[in-house]
Amino acid sequence: MGIRSASLYKAFGDKGKLFREVVDAYAATPTAQFVRQAFDEERSARAAFARMLRDAAVRYTDPAHPPGCLVITAATNITEQDAAIETFLRDLRAANRATLRDRLAAAERDGELPDDTDIDALADYFAVVIQGMSQRARDGADSAALLTVADLAMAVWPEVR
């Protein structure tokens, strides 16, 4: 980009601060907001999770953007010197998982899930699925393949009896 490192450090202080600002800017993009949109716009939790996974399949493979999710992808490139960045990314992923868990807990309270649903395990499951979809997109999977994964993932949704 033609930016000298002295200018970069003057503007951002260090690479870690620059990275955090990049992640903050990324988090504000529609690509990163799809989970929040699904949870805000869908009436049922099941519809919200299905939409989240289907939107991930499309967004993670959109050729107009790098494949996958920045927060997930960046975690694979951490070195020992980047312990603070590793913690920052882990905290972001934990916050994302908490968002999933909170929506599932609300669904259980509202009678959309059985009372005996293991909310923590289900939140872990959906977090792992969406993180895996990100990596598969990075590995070249297309949206059709990830849409199939999204549909299969929803097959575990517990039914209220």
Side-chain angles (χ1 to χ4, degrees), residues 134-152:
S134 172
Q135 187 56 50
R136 287 290 298 130
R138 298 273 307 160
D139 289 345
D142 62 14
S143 61
L146 294 185
L147 286 166
T148 299
V149 169
D151 291 343
L152 286 170

Side-chain angles (χ1 to χ4, degrees), residues 3-152:
I3 299 172
R4 296 179 192 261
S5 51
S7 298
L8 188 72
Y9 288 119
K10 184 176 179 185
F12 296 101
D14 61 38
K15 290 186 273 185
K17 187 174 180 208
L18 171 61
F19 180 76
R20 285 180 179 83
E21 289 199 30
V22 166
V23 171
D24 288 345
Y26 169 77
T29 67
T31 299
Q33 289 291 316
F34 70 92
V35 174
R36 178 58 47 211
Q37 289 172 334
F39 284 13
D40 288 348
E41 296 172 7
E42 297 298 331
R43 290 173 33 132
S44 76
R46 189 178 200 296
F49 275 79
R51 177 174 164 186
M52 172 190 73
L53 294 175
R54 293 183 67 75
D55 285 356
V58 172
R59 291 175 190 271
Y60 288 170
T61 58
D62 182 349
H65 308 285
C69 169
L70 174 65
V71 173
I72 296 166
T73 302
T76 63
N77 297 311
I78 299 295
T79 65
E80 288 181 25
Q81 306 92 289
D82 298 323
I85 295 297
E86 181 176 30
T87 300
F88 170 69
L89 292 170
R90 185 181 313 113
D91 291 347
L92 289 174
R93 290 189 306 275
N96 291 341
R97 184 207 172 271
T99 297
L100 303 180
R101 191 203 180 287
D102 290 348
R103 185 62 180 96
L104 291 166
E108 185 179 43
R109 282 191 306 276
D110 295 343
E112 292 182 65
L113 290 171
D115 290 338
D116 63 347
T117 301
D118 187 339
I119 298 298
D120 287 312
L122 199 55
D124 284 341
Y125 170 78
F126 282 111
V128 168
V129 169
I130 203 162
Q131 290 172 14
M133 290 172 69
S134 172
Q135 187 56 50
R136 287 290 298 130
R138 298 273 307 160
D139 289 345
D142 62 14
S143 61
L146 294 185
L147 286 166
T148 299
V149 169
D151 291 343
L152 286 170

